[in-house]
Amino acid sequence: MLLMKPQCERCDKPLPKHSEQAFICSYECTFCAECTTGPLQHRCPNCGGNLQPRPSRVETAES
């Protein structure tokens, strides 16, 4: 299952499970849209991978 980190690893902006502003790499490093499109230029600073929009997860009674 995809790990849904709750905030940007660069600026600590909250990124809830349903956020459309979250981007991830293949290692699930998580960044906000502002950091991704700005200073990071769609590259993960940890692994060098591409940052892509994170799929959202609908809140359920179990979440």
Side-chain angles (χ1 to χ4, degrees), residues 23-59:
F23 286 75
I24 61 172
C25 70
S26 61
Y27 289 101
E28 299 177 5
C29 299
T30 304
F31 301 95
C32 69
E34 290 82 13
C35 289
T36 296
T37 59
L40 300 180
Q41 297 294 296
H42 287 274
R43 285 275 171 219
C44 177
N46 303 321
C47 69
N50 292 328
L51 292 170
Q52 300 294 322
R54 180 180 74 184
S56 63
R57 185 174 295 161
V58 177
E59 294 290 330

Side-chain angles (χ1 to χ4, degrees), residues 17 59-63:
K17 294 177 184 179
E59 294 290 330
T60 64
E62 298 148 12
S63 295

